[in-house]
Amino acid sequence: MFSLSFSNWRFVISTQAARGLSRRNDEAASNELPADLSTGTLNITMLGINYAPETTGIAPYMTDLAESLSERGHRVHVVTGYPHYPAWEIDSSFEGRSIDEVINGVHVHRRRHFVPSPPNALGRVKMELSYGLRAARSGWNSPDVIVCTSPALLATAMAIGRAKLTRHRPAIGVWVHDLYGQGVVETGAMTGRGARATAKLEATVVKSADGVAVVHDRFVDHVVEQFGVPRDQVTVVRNWTHVAPIAVDDLAAARLRFGWAPGETVVLHTGNMGVKQGLENVVDAARLADQRELPVRFVLVGDGNQRPTLEAASVGVSRIDFVRPLDDENFRTAMAAADVLLVNEAPGIVGMAVPSKLTSYFSSGTPIVAATDVESTTADEIRASGAGVVTPNGDPAGLLDTVLALAADADRSAQLGAAGVRYCATSVGKTASIDKCEKWIHELVSRHSGTLEPADDSHPDHPMTNTDKAADAR
């Protein structure tokens, strides 16, 4: 059996269990051809609880990376969970305890796990541990490198613990999408000793890898200064645009199909409806629009643990709609047909994450309003892109006024939308980000084997963050 204990916030794995798991892993990979390191072909195992067919959050990036690496000739295995996000219930079409299949060239190994409802802190711990246990006990196909996606932090800890005691230990990389310790504080999930212990665990887990990839430049200093990771072991791999823009021949007809009346300003929010999004602000803005009899409609597309609460709070409010997740074509059409795309974050959310919806928003050509802390990572991204405007979070009147001012200025809206499309072409292109991630994975293997050349630190006053501008939009 696999066991995990925390002592001084270091993860410890039973050596006997790890050896047993390693033997099973080696046996499962007995028919696997060795990686051809001389030509750059690697045997890569990716571990992360979110994967397609989930369409929001981390899953699209996990899926894109795995399939792109496979297309480039690498042998890719993904050990993932059952689809459950953002509804926080397992998709009923996925049955049994395990599913092993090949999808678009990727060997996908799904392992059923606990899903909390509602997803409180204790429930998430149970989910991560249940997934981590099953992922760590799965065959890994003797990889040259494993890439662990965080969140989920506890599952990552378990996977790294097993990897370090594997007979032929692979290179280990951690791909950080959210800053876990900072997140529990900013969302109010933990305080005091619990929050400090979580941050300490996160630092221990991340520092134990051979290298770290983060999704934004602002994460670099945190990983270096708070986690103690050497700066030359941190690479920035920007989240990329994973939704292609769509040409809508008749926007008026599309709007009517969605039930949007002519002449009303449609403000569209997509994705997760959780604590972090603080969407009570939007409900209050819609209620204020009702009171003022303004031609504004707020549309929340998606799902999440806060959706029932938000729907209950919206009873009697006519200028807000809740829509279940849309299929790909309707999702892209809705973004193109809306007047404003909305990012809303709860007060206190500053630096824990970069909303994944932003890359889709940029590609749509529709202007963005971000109701967020003016010092947040999200605000930085909006300013860098030039694709929208920032308004303070937790201020429904301010949100409503900002939306109305933007809707009344067609020229500015067009300029902001065009800036978002340009930003896709220069900063969040898929090909360049995948190139960067593939290079990072090769560096993990080289660093682990001791063949990586030292970084050029001849300019210590200007440390590199490894962020390059993409030359293409896809």
Side-chain angles (χ1 to χ4, degrees), residues 335-351:
M335 288 195 299
D339 298 289
V340 175
L341 300 178
L342 176 63
V343 178
N344 195 92
E345 293 183 320
I349 303 297
V350 179

Side-chain angles (χ1 to χ4, degrees), residues 127-440:
M127 181 179 74
E128 290 198 18
L129 289 174
S130 67
Y131 162 69
L133 177 62
R134 298 216 64 205
R137 296 180 68 184
S138 295
W140 285 0
N141 305 287
S142 296
D144 302 298
V145 57
I146 66 166
V147 176
C148 300
T149 305
S150 184
L153 177 63
L154 296 176
T156 296
M158 298 168 81
I160 292 177
R162 168 187 160 176
K164 284 183 173 289
L165 291 173
T166 300
R167 189 189 329 175
H168 302 292
R169 201 271 267 185
I172 301 167
V174 176
W175 188 13
V176 177
H177 284 257
D178 291 357
L179 295 172
Y180 208 98
Q182 190 167 348
V184 299
V185 173
E186 292 186 359
T187 60
M190 292 184 183
T191 59
R193 294 176 63 184
R196 290 192 296 272
T198 300
K200 190 172 182 179
L201 172 61
E202 183 179 28
T204 301
V205 171
V206 173
K207 189 177 179 179
S208 69
D210 294 303
V212 181
V214 297
V215 297
H216 200 275
D217 301 81
R218 275 188 50 169
F219 288 9
V220 175
D221 287 343
H222 187 96
V223 169
V224 172
E225 296 168 8
Q226 302 300 318
F227 296 171
V229 178
R231 191 173 291 270
D232 64 359
Q233 292 182 21
V234 184
T235 297
V236 178
V237 178
R238 297 295 300 273
N239 282 345
W240 52 88
T241 301
H242 59 84
V243 175
I246 192 170
V248 181
D249 294 330
D250 191 338
L251 286 175
R255 289 168 65 94
L256 285 174
R257 189 169 77 247
F258 290 124
W260 304 343
E264 68 180 355
T265 297
V266 174
V267 184
L268 181 70
H269 179 281
T270 69
N272 187 39
M273 302 181 196
V275 174
K276 184 173 67 176
Q277 284 70 38
L279 293 170
E280 299 84 2
N281 185 51
V282 181
V283 174
D284 290 341
R287 182 177 292 106
L288 190 57
D290 271 2
Q291 294 170 0
R292 298 181 184 177
E293 299 184 348
L294 296 171
V296 178
R297 179 165 302 280
F298 292 90
V299 181
L300 306 185
V301 174
D303 208 341
N305 66 297
Q306 293 300 301
R307 178 169 174 151
T309 301
L310 295 167
E311 288 178 319
S314 299
V315 171
V317 180
S318 64
R319 285 169 171 78
I320 189 167
D321 295 335
F322 291 84
V323 179
R324 291 293 175 185
L326 299 171
D327 62 33
D328 180 67
E329 182 176 354
N330 280 315
F331 175 68
R332 292 184 291 151
T333 300
M335 288 195 299
D339 298 289
V340 175
L341 300 178
L342 176 63
V343 178
N344 195 92
E345 293 183 320
I349 303 297
V350 179
M352 62 170 286
V354 183
S356 60
K357 63 174 64 69
L358 279 179
T359 54
S360 301
Y361 282 9
F362 292 145
S363 71
S364 69
T366 302
I368 302 167
V369 168
T372 182
D373 190 294
V374 295
E375 300 296 328
S376 70
T377 304
T378 299
D380 275 0
E381 193 70 356
I382 293 296
R383 288 188 286 261
S385 68
V389 295
V390 175
T391 189
N393 51 6
D395 179 5
L399 171 59
L400 185 58
D401 290 344
T402 300
V403 164
L404 291 171
L406 188 57
D409 192 337
D411 288 342
R412 189 181 185 204
S413 291
Q415 290 168 2
L416 295 173
V421 174
R422 285 196 301 273
Y423 195 63
C424 284
T426 58
S427 296
V428 291
K430 176 179 174 179
T431 300
S433 288
I434 297 293
D435 287 347
K436 194 71 175 295
C437 211
E438 183 182 30
K439 180 175 183 288
W440 171 67

Side-chain angles (χ1 to χ4, degrees), residues 47-52 54 56-63 78-86 88 110 113 127 131 149 151-152:
L47 291 93
I49 198 169
N50 302 106
Y51 199 76
E54 292 179 3
T56 190
I58 296 172
Y61 303 106
M62 275 278 293
T63 308
V78 171
V79 183
T80 188
Y82 273 39
H84 65 279
Y85 183 83
W88 291 100
R110 300 188 191 275
H113 52 83
M127 181 179 74
Y131 162 69
T149 305

